[in-house]
Amino acid sequence: MEMEATGKSKGEWIFHAEFHETIDYLSDHARILAFNPFCHKVEKTAKTNVYKWHFRVTDPQNNPFDVIFYIEEIQELLVELPVEYDNIDPETIPDDIISKHTVGRKITWAHHPWDNTIDDPKNYIFEGRAFAEMYVKPHSNAQTIVDFDLRVDVKFTLYPAFRIIPETIIRSMSNAGMSFIMQSATDKMFKSISKDFDPIQQA
Protein backbone atom coordinates (compact mmCIF):
# COMPACT_ATOMS: atom_id res chain seq x y z
CA MET A 1 0.00 0.00 0.00
CA GLU A 2 1.34 3.42 -0.98
CA MET A 3 0.94 6.17 1.59
CA GLU A 4 1.70 9.87 1.70
CA ALA A 5 2.67 11.58 4.94
CA THR A 6 3.20 15.23 5.77
CA GLY A 7 5.29 16.42 8.68
CA LYS A 8 5.75 19.95 9.99
CA SER A 9 8.11 21.63 12.41
CA LYS A 10 8.78 25.21 13.40
CA GLY A 11 10.50 27.34 15.98
CA GLU A 12 12.05 30.68 16.74
CA TRP A 13 15.55 30.94 18.16
CA ILE A 14 17.87 33.72 19.30
CA PHE A 15 21.50 33.37 18.19
CA HIS A 16 24.17 35.12 20.19
CA ALA A 17 25.98 36.24 17.04
CA GLU A 18 25.98 39.09 14.56
CA PHE A 19 23.51 38.99 11.67
CA HIS A 20 26.11 38.36 8.93
CA GLU A 21 27.74 35.54 10.93
CA THR A 22 24.40 33.83 11.42
CA ILE A 23 23.52 34.13 7.72
CA ASP A 24 26.86 32.64 6.66
CA TYR A 25 26.37 29.75 9.07
CA LEU A 26 22.77 28.95 8.11
CA SER A 27 23.64 29.07 4.40
CA ASP A 28 25.88 26.01 4.80
CA HIS A 29 23.51 23.08 4.25
CA ALA A 30 25.98 20.32 4.96
CA ARG A 31 27.08 21.86 8.24
CA ILE A 32 23.68 22.52 9.80
CA LEU A 33 21.95 19.36 8.53
CA ALA A 34 24.80 17.28 9.96
CA PHE A 35 23.17 18.02 13.33
CA ASN A 36 19.91 16.39 12.18
CA PRO A 37 19.92 12.79 13.50
CA PHE A 38 18.20 11.49 10.35
CA CYS A 39 20.44 13.19 7.79
CA HIS A 40 22.83 10.72 6.19
CA LYS A 41 24.49 13.00 3.64
CA VAL A 42 24.17 16.39 1.89
CA GLU A 43 25.72 16.94 -1.53
CA LYS A 44 25.83 19.93 -3.85
CA THR A 45 24.60 19.06 -7.34
CA ALA A 46 25.82 20.40 -10.67
CA LYS A 47 22.80 22.72 -10.75
CA THR A 48 23.28 26.15 -9.21
CA ASN A 49 22.04 26.34 -5.61
CA VAL A 50 20.49 22.86 -5.78
CA TYR A 51 21.38 20.26 -3.15
CA LYS A 52 20.72 16.56 -2.67
CA TRP A 53 19.65 15.57 0.85
CA HIS A 54 19.81 11.90 1.79
CA PHE A 55 17.81 11.05 4.90
CA ARG A 56 17.60 7.62 6.50
CA VAL A 57 14.81 6.67 8.89
CA THR A 58 13.40 3.43 10.29
CA ASP A 59 9.87 2.24 10.94
CA PRO A 60 8.73 0.80 14.33
CA GLN A 61 10.07 -2.62 13.29
CA ASN A 62 13.50 -1.08 12.57
CA ASN A 63 13.14 -1.46 8.81
CA PRO A 64 15.11 1.26 6.96
CA PHE A 65 13.70 3.86 4.59
CA ASP A 66 15.94 6.09 2.49
CA VAL A 67 14.38 9.42 1.52
CA ILE A 68 16.02 11.58 -1.15
CA PHE A 69 15.30 15.31 -1.43
CA TYR A 70 16.44 17.72 -4.12
CA ILE A 71 16.33 21.22 -2.69
CA GLU A 72 16.95 24.64 -4.19
CA GLU A 73 18.15 27.36 -1.83
CA ILE A 74 16.92 30.90 -2.52
CA GLN A 75 18.04 33.92 -0.52
CA GLU A 76 16.20 37.23 -0.47
CA LEU A 77 17.12 40.46 1.27
CA LEU A 78 14.40 41.96 3.44
CA VAL A 79 14.53 45.70 2.90
CA GLU A 80 12.32 48.47 4.28
CA LEU A 81 13.00 51.56 2.19
CA PRO A 82 11.74 55.07 3.01
CA VAL A 83 8.64 56.22 1.11
CA GLU A 84 10.70 58.40 -1.24
CA TYR A 85 11.97 55.19 -2.92
CA ASP A 86 8.48 53.77 -3.55
CA ASN A 87 8.40 54.58 -7.29
CA ILE A 88 12.07 54.01 -8.02
CA ASP A 89 13.34 50.94 -9.86
CA PRO A 90 15.02 48.76 -7.18
CA GLU A 91 17.87 48.01 -9.61
CA THR A 92 18.87 51.68 -9.59
CA ILE A 93 18.98 52.12 -5.80
CA PRO A 94 22.60 52.38 -4.57
CA ASP A 95 24.01 49.45 -2.60
CA ASP A 96 24.75 51.62 0.43
CA ILE A 97 21.06 52.61 0.64
CA ILE A 98 20.00 48.96 0.36
CA SER A 99 22.49 47.98 3.05
CA LYS A 100 21.39 50.78 5.35
CA HIS A 101 17.73 49.75 5.19
CA THR A 102 18.18 45.96 5.21
CA VAL A 103 16.16 44.49 8.09
CA GLY A 104 16.92 40.81 7.51
CA ARG A 105 17.20 37.99 5.04
CA LYS A 106 14.84 35.22 4.01
CA ILE A 107 16.34 31.81 3.23
CA THR A 108 13.99 29.49 1.34
CA TRP A 109 14.46 25.78 0.76
CA ALA A 110 12.17 24.62 -2.05
CA HIS A 111 11.60 21.26 -3.71
CA HIS A 112 13.44 21.07 -7.05
CA PRO A 113 11.98 18.61 -9.59
CA TRP A 114 14.65 16.15 -10.64
CA ASP A 115 15.22 14.79 -14.15
CA ASN A 116 15.41 11.11 -13.20
CA THR A 117 13.02 8.90 -11.26
CA ILE A 118 14.11 8.58 -7.64
CA ASP A 119 11.50 6.23 -6.18
CA ASP A 120 12.62 2.61 -5.84
CA PRO A 121 9.97 1.02 -3.57
CA LYS A 122 11.47 -2.47 -3.79
CA ASN A 123 14.58 -1.13 -2.04
CA TYR A 124 12.59 1.30 0.11
CA ILE A 125 14.05 4.41 -1.49
CA PHE A 126 11.59 7.28 -1.85
CA GLU A 127 11.58 10.86 -3.04
CA GLY A 128 10.67 13.49 -0.49
CA ARG A 129 9.61 17.08 -0.97
CA ALA A 130 10.70 19.73 1.50
CA PHE A 131 9.70 23.36 1.78
CA ALA A 132 11.19 25.63 4.43
CA GLU A 133 11.51 29.30 5.23
CA MET A 134 13.99 30.92 7.60
CA TYR A 135 13.53 34.57 8.43
CA VAL A 136 16.80 35.87 9.84
CA LYS A 137 16.74 39.33 11.45
CA PRO A 138 19.14 41.35 13.61
CA HIS A 139 18.11 41.41 17.25
CA SER A 140 19.52 43.41 20.16
CA ASN A 141 23.00 43.30 21.69
CA ALA A 142 24.77 41.55 18.80
CA GLN A 143 22.08 38.88 18.61
CA THR A 144 20.12 37.50 15.67
CA ILE A 145 16.64 36.03 15.68
CA VAL A 146 15.81 33.08 13.40
CA ASP A 147 12.22 32.07 12.60
CA PHE A 148 12.15 28.58 11.05
CA ASP A 149 9.18 26.84 9.39
CA LEU A 150 9.50 23.47 7.60
CA ARG A 151 7.11 21.10 5.81
CA VAL A 152 8.07 17.71 4.39
CA ASP A 153 5.94 15.48 2.14
CA VAL A 154 6.93 11.85 1.58
CA LYS A 155 5.26 9.06 -0.39
CA PHE A 156 6.21 5.58 0.73
CA THR A 157 5.16 1.94 0.58
CA LEU A 158 4.03 0.25 3.79
CA TYR A 159 5.64 -2.95 4.93
CA PRO A 160 3.15 -5.86 4.82
CA ALA A 161 2.77 -5.98 8.62
CA PHE A 162 1.08 -2.54 8.58
CA ARG A 163 -1.44 -3.32 5.84
CA ILE A 164 -3.96 -4.85 8.27
CA ILE A 165 -4.49 -1.41 9.90
CA PRO A 166 -7.20 0.79 8.32
CA GLU A 167 -5.78 3.37 5.93
CA THR A 168 -7.35 6.37 7.71
CA ILE A 169 -5.70 5.35 10.98
CA ILE A 170 -2.34 4.72 9.32
CA ARG A 171 -2.53 8.11 7.56
CA SER A 172 -3.33 9.94 10.80
CA MET A 173 -0.59 8.06 12.67
CA SER A 174 1.90 8.76 9.89
CA ASN A 175 1.26 12.52 9.83
CA ALA A 176 1.28 12.86 13.61
CA GLY A 177 4.32 10.64 14.02
CA MET A 178 6.24 12.35 11.24
CA SER A 179 5.53 15.82 12.69
CA PHE A 180 6.61 14.67 16.15
CA ILE A 181 9.85 13.19 14.79
CA MET A 182 10.55 16.27 12.68
CA GLN A 183 9.93 18.70 15.53
CA SER A 184 12.21 16.68 17.80
CA ALA A 185 14.89 16.57 15.10
CA THR A 186 14.56 20.32 14.45
CA ASP A 187 14.88 21.13 18.16
CA LYS A 188 17.91 18.86 18.43
CA MET A 189 19.48 20.43 15.34
CA PHE A 190 19.18 23.98 16.65
CA LYS A 191 20.37 23.00 20.13
CA SER A 192 23.39 21.29 18.58
CA ILE A 193 24.14 24.36 16.48
CA SER A 194 24.68 26.21 19.76
CA LYS A 195 27.97 24.33 20.11
CA ASP A 196 29.34 26.73 17.50
CA PHE A 197 27.86 29.81 19.20
CA ASP A 198 27.13 30.89 22.70
CA PRO A 199 24.08 28.84 23.71
CA ILE A 200 21.12 29.77 21.52
CA GLN A 201 17.70 30.07 23.11
CA GLN A 202 14.13 29.72 21.96
CA ALA A 203 12.47 33.10 21.52
Side-chain angles (χ1 to χ4, degrees):
M1 180 191 300
E2 186 178 83
M3 297 290 298
E4 184 170 352
T6 296
K8 299 178 181 180
S9 66
K10 59 174 54 182
E12 196 172 47
W13 285 268
I14 295 175
F15 282 65
H16 293 268
E18 296 286 353
F19 171 71
H20 69 278
E21 295 174 325
T22 306
I23 284 291
D24 288 346
Y25 192 97
L26 294 177
S27 297
D28 188 335
H29 281 211
R31 179 164 53 180
I32 65 173
L33 287 176
F35 293 119
N36 188 305
F38 302 106
C39 184
H40 181 64
K41 184 187 295 185
V42 176
E43 301 172 85
K44 194 165 186 177
T45 71
K47 297 185 178 181
T48 303
N49 296 328
V50 176
Y51 299 80
K52 178 183 178 181
W53 298 357
H54 182 177
F55 276 56
R56 182 164 289 160
V57 297
T58 57
D59 70 9
Q61 294 185 327
N62 211 34
N63 297 305
F65 287 83
D66 285 328
V67 185
I68 306 299
F69 301 87
Y70 283 95
I71 302 296
E72 181 181 9
E73 180 186 272
I74 304 163
Q75 294 205 20
E76 175 187 353
L77 278 179
L78 303 177
V79 180
E80 294 181 358
L81 292 170
V83 292
E84 58 262 33
Y85 291 95
D86 284 354
N87 297 317
I88 296 178
D89 181 354
E91 296 293 331
T92 66
I93 299 175
D95 290 343
D96 62 324
I97 299 297
I98 296 291
S99 178
K100 180 180 178 181
H101 296 284
T102 294
V103 296
R105 188 182 289 264
K106 177 184 175 184
I107 299 175
T108 301
W109 294 341
H111 169 71
H112 183 84
W114 202 244
D115 303 330
N116 304 319
T117 300
I118 298 166
D119 289 323
D120 184 4
K122 290 182 180 179
N123 292 308
Y124 292 95
I125 299 173
F126 304 97
E127 179 181 14
R129 299 186 175 209
F131 308 86
E133 292 181 339
M134 280 187 285
Y135 288 90
V136 186
K137 297 182 178 182
H139 199 45
S140 59
N141 300 320
Q143 296 176 345
T144 303
I145 194 163
V146 178
D147 188 347
F148 181 78
D149 196 339
L150 170 68
R151 187 186 94 239
V152 169
D153 300 321
V154 179
K155 287 184 179 180
F156 59 94
T157 301
L158 286 176
Y159 282 93
F162 288 90
R163 294 175 187 167
I164 62 173
I165 303 174
E167 183 177 343
T168 54
I169 296 176
I170 283 288
R171 192 176 303 280
S172 178
M173 289 172 57
S174 296
N175 289 339
M178 189 168 165
S179 290
F180 176 80
I181 290 170
M182 282 178 52
Q183 188 66 57
S184 298
T186 297
D187 292 344
K188 178 178 174 59
M189 184 176 77
F190 275 92
K191 287 176 182 176
S192 297
I193 285 171
S194 70
K195 296 173 183 177
D196 294 331
F197 293 86
D198 287 328
I200 64 175
Q201 63 195 70
Q202 287 188 289

